[in-house]
């Protein structure tokens, strides 16, 4: 056999094994929008089945024009004094069409959260957006015909933030108000609607600040006891936002800084049972000094810490991911498992400060023992670096958007500005599981706290075991953390047959706003690990 023939056969074998290995990995990818026109730095899914995409205003032209005669006039803009380009847009999930939105003030590294009525609150940013508060009230895209009647951003003129917020975190509270925490040079908290106290000093953020500012975009989770779990750098506290006091100091999480700019990610695992226990996971991050010294090839941190935040004597349980990762997004699935997706294996957050993109998502299965929790998933082909996002969709897919690791839009670098929007489908959406997928035929549009209600589903195959009914929030995803993300597993009865393939499930709504703050939730029926398409339900008093 000739050398050429042997080399060709070897190359063919390697290619075959590569394809086979990747084909055998769970999950699938789909390109939804080839060119959205903007790179989404902040992404949120609305209860009208649209997605708000939001970038910044001070980077010059995007690739999406505003409608005619709708330009932003800003004599202080460093690039465009008259800006006729969109820096926000709305994705219609029914048609995958993109409609430009008009944002007036700079939303670079802002924060956000949905209000109980489904309105998205956007707070802070850079320059003229530093103290700004904005609102977006979703509407049904297919109803109005006039462009002027379509919903768009509203910049509030009558109120503003008490202290400027840049790289802050928002969290909805049990009463439906929003707490806004931290930000660059803003070691304080404040609320929307504004309270008389204005901004209140929060010394913890000063205590964890280091010389590369690893206290930004703190990880904030509302615990079912009504207090907040707040993590920044490598430390966490339980915070009583009413008395502005520290209830508990948690042990240091070893492995270096974890919050921005050394960003790993964090999620609170599903709340279930009597809702008395809450567990938080923090994964990944950059090595200390990578941001300070602008070292793009510094290996990322591959460890995860897990802690029962409500336990009497909580300690961090450590384990390693299959891939070291910075800038990963943690998405809590309808099942309670978590997908970690996007990011890089070296460097840190910041413009052009990372390398070696991590294309493989991984599945984190909380109910498995240490060492068996992670599963490597099918890799994508589009690097999703700095300023990328991931959001759970009502049909169970994960929406992937953004990646602009450059100060301006730049399409000629190794990791260009990314305008494509993709979806990742976990294994539960594979064709061989379609006959297990429930379909809602009855579900109330609104439920009250503690109320009993019925959910009726149809399933192609006979139901074996319990069909879960789980409520997922719609968070504000930015900078590797989903602000306000939570999944609540409801107390349910066994599925009672009502005819061929039809089942009635008795459910009890969450007891109060500490377990699930008021607002719109995606409600999924989950049968043997396969979720239905969600129905939006408004949870209120």
């Amino acid at each position: 056999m000739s050398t050429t023939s042997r080399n060709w056969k070897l190359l063919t074998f390697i290619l075959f094994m590569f394809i086979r290995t990747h084909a055998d990995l769970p999950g699938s990818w789909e390109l939804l929008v080839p060119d959205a026109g903007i790179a989404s730095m902040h992404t949120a899914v609305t209860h009208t089945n649209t997605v708000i995409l939001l970038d910044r205003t001070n980077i010059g032209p995007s690739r999406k024009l505003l409608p005619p005669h709708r330009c932003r006039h800003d004599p202080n803009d460093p690039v465009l004094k008259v800006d006729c380009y969109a820096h926000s847009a709305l994705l219609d999930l029914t048609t995958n069409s993109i409609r430009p939105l008009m944002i007036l003030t700079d939303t670079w590294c802002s924060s956000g959260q949905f209000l109980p009525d489904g309105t998205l609150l956007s707070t802070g940013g850079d320059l003229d957006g530093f103290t700004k508060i904005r609102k977006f009230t979703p509407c049904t895209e297919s109803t109005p015909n006039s462009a002027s009647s379509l919903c768009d951003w509203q910049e509030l003129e009558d109120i503003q933030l008490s202290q400027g917020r840049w790289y802050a975190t928002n969290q909805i509270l049990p009463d439906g108000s929003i707490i806004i925490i931290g930000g660059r040079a803003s070691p304080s908290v404040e609320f929307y609607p504004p309270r008389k106290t204005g901004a209140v000093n929060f010394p913890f953020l000063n205590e964890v600040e280091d010389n590369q500012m690893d206290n930004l975009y703190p990880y904030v989770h509302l615990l079912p006891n009504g207090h907040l779990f707040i993590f920044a750098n490598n430390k966490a506290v339980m915070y009583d936002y009413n008395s502005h006091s520290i209830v508990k100091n948690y042990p240091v999480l070893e492995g270096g800084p974890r919050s921005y700019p050394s960003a790993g990610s964090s999620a609170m695992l599903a709340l279930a049972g009597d809702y008395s226990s809450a567990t938080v996971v923090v994964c990944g991050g950059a090595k200390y000094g990578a941001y300070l010294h602008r070292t793009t090839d510094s290996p990322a941190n591959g460890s995860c810490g897990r802690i029962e935040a409500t336990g009497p004597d909580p300690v961090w349980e450590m384990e390693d991911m299959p891939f070291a990762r910075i800038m990963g997004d943690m998405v809590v699935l309808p099942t309670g498992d978590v997908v970690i997706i996007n990011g890089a294996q070296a460097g840190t957050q910041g413009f052009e400060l990372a390398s070696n993109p991590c294309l493989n998502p991984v599945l984190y299965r909380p109910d498995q023992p240490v060492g068996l929790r992670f599963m490597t998933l099918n890799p994508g082909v589009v690097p999703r670096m700095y300023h990328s996002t991931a959001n759970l969709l009502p049909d169970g897919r994960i929406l992937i958007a953004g990646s602009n690791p450059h100060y301006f839009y730049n399409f000629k670098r190794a990791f260009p500005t990314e305008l494509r929007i993709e979806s990742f489908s976990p294994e539960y959406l594979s064709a061989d599981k379609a006959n297990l997928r429930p379909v809602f035929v009855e579900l109330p549009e609104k439920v009250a706290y503690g109320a009993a209600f019925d959910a009726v589903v149809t399933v192609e195959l006979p139901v074996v075991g319990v069909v879960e009914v789980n409520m997922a929030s719609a968070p504000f995803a930015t900078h590797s953390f989903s602000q306000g993300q939570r999944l609540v597993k409801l107390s349910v009865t066994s599925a009672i047959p009502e005819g061929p393939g039809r089942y009635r499930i008795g459910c009890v709504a969450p007891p109060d706003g500490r377990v699930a703050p008021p607002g719109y939730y995606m409600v999924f029926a989950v049968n043997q690990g396969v979720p239905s398409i969600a129905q939006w339900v408004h949870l209120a008093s």
Side-chain angles (χ1 to χ4, degrees):
M1 182 184 295
S2 68
T3 302
T4 301
S5 178
R6 283 197 300 268
N7 289 342
W8 174 251
K9 286 191 174 184
L10 178 61
L11 180 60
T12 302
F13 175 76
I14 293 172
L15 181 61
F16 169 78
M17 292 303 296
F18 177 84
I19 294 172
R20 179 179 176 182
T21 301
H22 285 71
D24 289 345
L25 293 177
S28 61
W29 292 83
E30 181 183 0
L31 177 64
L32 300 183
V33 181
D35 185 350
I38 70 166
S40 190
M41 184 189 306
H42 319 290
T43 310
V45 180
T46 80
H47 70 278
T48 60
N49 291 323
T50 58
V51 182
I52 300 169
L53 312 172
L54 188 59
D55 200 1
R56 50 192 287 203
T57 65
N58 66 347
I59 55 171
S62 68
R63 296 302 181 268
K64 191 76 172 177
L65 282 167
L66 289 164
H69 313 298
R70 295 201 73 201
C71 297
R72 184 175 63 94
H73 297 265
D74 183 359
N76 297 317
D77 190 289
V79 182
L80 288 177
K81 311 303 180 187
V82 179
D83 186 356
C84 301
Y85 293 89
H87 303 285
S88 181
L90 201 66
L91 167 64
D92 187 333
L93 291 172
T94 304
T95 62
N96 287 340
S97 59
I98 299 286
R99 178 168 67 84
L101 301 175
M102 188 169 187
I103 194 85
L104 295 178
T105 54
D106 191 20
T107 51
W108 181 17
C109 301
S110 57
S111 50
Q113 193 80 159
F114 281 104
L115 297 171
D117 67 355
T119 295
L120 180 64
L121 188 78
S122 168
T123 53
D126 191 23
L127 301 175
D128 60 355
F130 195 42
T131 60
K132 201 67 180 177
I133 300 175
R134 318 161 194 86
K135 287 184 176 181
F136 182 91
T137 301
C139 61
T140 303
E141 288 291 284
S142 58
T143 302
N145 293 318
S146 169
S148 62
S149 65
L150 290 169
C151 46
D152 210 332
W153 285 101
Q154 174 193 5
E155 309 262 347
L156 302 190
E157 301 296 340
D158 53 336
I159 58 173
Q160 63 179 13
L161 295 171
S162 298
Q163 189 167 3
R165 305 283 169 185
W166 197 24
Y167 302 90
T169 300
N170 293 5
Q171 171 64 52
I172 187 169
L173 299 174
D175 64 356
S177 63
I178 307 295
I179 187 170
I180 308 161
I181 300 174
R184 192 167 183 174
S186 303
S188 63
V189 306
E190 61 180 289
F191 301 87
Y192 179 90
R195 297 186 180 180
K196 293 181 180 179
T197 53
V200 179
N201 190 40
F202 186 31
F204 168 73
L205 292 178
N206 276 331
E207 294 166 10
V208 296
E209 183 177 4
D210 57 24
N211 59 353
Q212 57 179 20
M213 298 175 292
D214 281 310
N215 66 344
L216 303 179
Y217 275 132
Y219 304 145
V220 180
H221 304 287
L222 173 65
L223 300 176
N225 61 13
H227 298 318
L228 297 175
F229 177 94
I230 302 178
F231 182 101
N233 198 327
N234 61 355
K235 297 180 181 178
V237 295
M238 184 187 293
Y239 179 64
D240 183 336
Y241 58 85
N242 287 311
S243 64
H244 298 293
S245 60
I246 301 297
V247 177
K248 184 190 295 286
N249 286 281
Y250 295 96
V252 170
L253 176 57
E254 300 298 332
R258 307 279 185 156
S259 55
Y260 185 93
S262 300
S265 191
S266 176
M268 183 172 71
L269 300 181
L271 301 177
D274 64 1
Y275 305 123
S276 62
S277 176
T279 298
V280 173
V281 178
V282 178
C283 293
K287 300 296 184 184
Y288 172 76
Y291 182 81
L292 193 65
H293 302 296
R294 303 297 195 262
T295 51
T296 62
D297 57 352
S298 175
N301 191 329
S303 69
C304 286
R306 171 171 165 162
I307 193 166
E308 186 183 356
T310 49
D313 189 21
V315 295
W316 291 100
E317 178 186 66
M318 302 303 295
E319 54 194 319
D320 288 324
M321 297 183 288
F323 304 93
R325 191 183 306 248
I326 56 166
M327 299 183 289
D329 289 280
M330 300 183 75
V331 179
V332 181
L333 298 179
T335 58
D337 292 341
V338 181
V339 165
I340 308 175
I341 199 165
N342 297 337
Q345 298 180 70
T348 183
Q349 285 198 331
F351 293 119
E352 301 175 20
L353 291 183
S355 63
N356 193 9
C358 195
L359 299 176
N360 281 93
V362 295
L363 184 68
Y364 178 79
R365 298 167 293 185
D367 296 337
Q368 298 296 314
V370 173
L372 298 176
R373 289 177 179 155
F374 287 104
M375 176 189 292
T376 300
L377 304 179
N378 190 27
V381 297
V382 179
R384 299 286 181 174
M385 309 285 275
Y386 189 42
H387 293 153
S388 57
T389 60
N391 296 74
L392 178 67
L393 294 178
D395 61 8
R397 295 176 300 167
I398 299 172
L399 186 82
I400 307 297
S403 186
N404 186 24
H406 316 289
Y407 186 76
F408 297 102
Y409 281 21
N410 192 321
F411 303 96
K412 296 182 180 180
R413 296 295 181 95
F415 306 115
T417 299
E418 188 54 64
L419 305 183
R420 287 173 287 184
I421 297 177
E422 299 175 286
S423 69
F424 177 76
S425 295
E427 188 181 18
Y428 56 53
L429 294 179
S430 60
D432 63 340
K433 296 180 183 293
N435 51 15
L436 296 174
R437 194 170 201 192
V439 177
F440 278 119
V441 292
E442 287 184 25
L443 191 71
E445 294 181 357
K446 184 176 181 179
V447 296
Y449 286 111
F453 65 94
D454 286 349
V456 179
V457 299
T458 58
V459 184
E460 186 176 331
L461 289 182
V463 166
V464 178
V466 173
V467 176
E468 296 181 351
V469 179
N470 301 336
M471 303 179 66
S473 68
F476 179 88
T478 188
H479 288 75
S480 310
F481 182 65
S482 289
Q483 302 180 13
Q485 180 173 224
R486 76 199 295 113
L487 182 76
V488 180
K489 295 192 172 187
L490 302 186
S491 174
V492 296
T493 64
S494 296
I496 306 300
E498 287 193 337
R502 181 183 172 103
Y503 299 87
R504 184 173 296 272
I505 307 161
C507 310
V508 179
D512 54 46
R514 297 175 302 174
V515 175
Y520 283 90
Y521 286 81
M522 292 176 278
V523 176
F524 295 89
V526 181
N527 176 36
Q528 297 184 57
V530 180
S532 68
I533 294 176
Q535 299 294 306
W536 289 95
V537 172
H538 194 205
L539 178 64
S541 300

